[in-house]
Amino acid sequence: ECEECGYDPRKDPRFDKITDPELKWTAMRYQMHGDHIVPRALGGTDAKENIQVLCKKCHDIKSFKNGDFANKTKKVIND
């Protein structure tokens, strides 16, 4: 369950249409992300106290607000 918005892929009816259990699990896992509360780039660690579970949408929003998206894009463009 997303710690920001409460989204739970197990309760999402879109996944009911997937009959293959392995594919269903993979699709649901893709929707969730382990997120560093304090980014590693800013001194955050991989300790469980610094990890939260976010859905893909909340993770993308947080990354965009923190500038992670812009920094990664610049790195790809400049490499």
Side-chain angles (χ1 to χ4, degrees), residues 68-79:
D68 295 347
F69 177 79
N71 292 336
K72 288 178 183 173
T73 304
K74 285 179 194 172
K75 183 176 182 348
V76 169
I77 291 172
N78 291 330
D79 283 348

Side-chain angles (χ1 to χ4, degrees), residues 1 7 19 45-46 48 50 59 73 79:
E1 182 174 310
Y7 172 74
T19 57
T45 69
D46 290 334
K48 70 178 186 175
N50 190 44
H59 183 264
T73 304
D79 283 348

Side-chain angles (χ1 to χ4, degrees), residues 46-64:
D46 290 334
K48 70 178 186 175
E49 298 80 23
N50 190 44
I51 303 293
Q52 63 183 344
V53 177
L54 297 179
C55 68
K56 183 175 182 343
K57 181 179 176 181
C58 288
H59 183 264
D60 289 349
I61 290 169
K62 180 184 176 206
S63 294
F64 184 78

Side-chain angles (χ1 to χ4, degrees), residues 24-43:
K24 185 175 187 173
W25 175 249
T26 301
M28 288 191 301
R29 278 199 58 193
Y30 179 74
Q31 296 300 315
M32 305 306 288
H33 293 266
D35 175 68
H36 290 84
I37 297 167
V38 177
R40 287 184 290 184
L42 298 177

